[in-house]
Amino acid sequence: MRKVLIVDDDTIIRITLRSLINWEEMGFQIVADAIHGEAALAYLKDHTVDLIISDMKMPVLDGIGLLEAVSHFAVMPKVLVLSGYDDFKLVRDAFRLGACDYLLKADLNGELLRNMLEGLSKEWANEDEAGRASAAEEGREKISDSERLTAMAMGKCGLDEAFFDGDYLVVQFEIDEFQKHAGRFAGDFEGKLIKPLLEFAAQIPRVVSRCVLGTISPSRYVMLYRILDGGQYQANAVSTCRQLCSVWNNFLNLPVSAGISSKGNGAGDFHARFEEAGGWLSLHWLKGKAAVCSPWEKGSVDYLAAKDAFVRYKRLTVGLLTADEMAVSEEKQKLIAAFYRSGLSSAKQELLYLICNLAWILNESHDDIGALFAEKVNYYEKIGRLEEMGSLELWLNNYFRWVMDYAAHQNDRRQADMMSRAKHFIMDNYANPELTLGSVAGYVGLNEKYFSSRFTKEEGMTFSNYLTEVRIRKARELMEQTDLKIYEISQSVGYNSVEHFTRVFKKICQVSPGAYRK
């Protein structure tokens, strides 16, 4: 078994990674997890692992710090990086420090993770250094422009000056609601998604004549648009992106949004233009699905200003997405007072910043701000139609209520999912005498006291009674189907003491284990 260490400060991500696939079937075992890089290094002092799956942004010691440390190990484990859409600079640094691959958190699903692990298993199976060097040399000879663009964007290789000769734009594309569409491709993202998507793009003459399109991840793509048309390049670039998005939607049934950078020149500008394109793409939530965003749109929100607003609205956004009535009420009063002081125009801009931050937080948790309403919403248009502060305040009050109602529903659904995971965990571990309320609560990432009350409410019995029922039911099955001795059955269902097992069995079944077997 290949040993795996998960490093992420987000409990939900750690739980998700554990539950997405059957690790042992694939030859992997998750031996531990850690909430930051320092905790991971403390574990690695006394233990060796084959694979580290690490987030990039963590408190105490981040993913880069962890990579710098493990890069000095006598034998460096393979490192798979977890990142958000705005972490590409960190991903490039990670590759320079020896990371073997990366996975966007928004793409996280069982099929993609399984594909990555299969690829790593093949690497381990072919650890012959001479063979790897030969394969790498062969790969360099055959690499396409598309692959070269991807490698340079992600920092897997140096920038080629000749590749960026002249003026250009960088575009990032994203498949909207990727998680909803991922299941259609049955785990074969390369053959059933990426290849057809690139092939359809290659049927468009102006894409072929001036563009290079590369794959960042199954949900995210990068395009270099070479400027060959002087003063008309802005309109032509937008038109080209809209045509691409339309083709992908019509023939692959995939809604795709795009973000276009300002003009760059030479290799030195590329990474900045790449990051800028991602920034513009992140604003597409304000326009709805299948939107094209660029620096030339009048009235568009500034990405960096919206990002800076995160600190101002952190308590409010957290309150909205946890349906915290008190926190939202307090922050809303402050917000409306500030709006009246600043005036209508400034208030509209700030409201767009706030909605941006809500959208980004929802997207990080595999949710979609578009799900708030049945119809597609263009927030620029909706907020633009508010002509005085009174109507803006009324709309804001209604909007906050919609968000909190949606968040409460989603939280209830997630809690139900957690209870389902808890019961699966109990079924997988009932034979362990050390299984406790605390260990199950920790597995699903909930406070022990809250988990206990929630479990009792959901199941109509306490955790202890539920576990006892599971164990006794399994014991009865073993008595009916096997010739195991009573003490062996006792141990098989999690009881160290056969006397205790006998008392519990008789209390529930009204007969002793021996009498039940007869």
Side-chain angles (χ1 to χ4, degrees), residues 42-60:
Y43 178 83
L44 292 169
K45 280 183 181 178
D46 302 314
H47 306 84
T48 59
V49 299
D50 301 289
L51 172 64
I52 298 173
I53 302 178
S54 177
D55 189 17
M56 285 286 91
K57 293 180 178 178
M58 297 179 290
V60 185

Side-chain angles (χ1 to χ4, degrees), residues 115-177:
N115 286 348
M116 286 196 158
L117 295 179
E118 286 173 353
L120 290 174
S121 295
K122 289 176 183 176
E123 284 186 30
W124 275 307
N126 298 308
E127 288 283 59
D128 182 341
E129 290 294 332
R132 282 214 312 274
S134 173
E137 187 63 36
E138 182 181 345
R140 276 194 292 272
E141 293 173 1
K142 295 181 178 179
I143 191 168
S144 66
D145 283 349
S146 174
E147 293 167 320
R148 186 178 295 118
L149 177 63
T150 298
M152 289 188 288
M154 302 313 298
K156 293 183 178 180
C157 68
L159 297 175
D160 181 352
E161 288 288 345
F163 194 87
F164 298 100
D165 184 39
D167 294 335
Y168 59 84
L169 306 172
V170 178
V171 184
Q172 285 201 43
F173 297 96
E174 178 187 352
I175 297 173
D176 296 321
E177 299 178 318

Side-chain angles (χ1 to χ4, degrees), residues 213-251:
L213 188 64
T215 307
I216 298 299
S217 77
S219 71
R220 179 73 65 118
Y221 301 81
V222 58
M223 185 171 77
L224 187 75
Y225 179 98
R226 295 192 171 96
I227 296 175
L228 308 174
D229 36 20
Q232 298 296 313
Y233 76 89
Q234 295 177 353
N236 289 343
V238 171
S239 175
T240 300
C241 290
R242 284 181 176 151
Q243 185 178 6
L244 270 170
C245 292
S246 177
V247 165
W248 290 328
N249 191 37
N250 291 337
F251 293 98

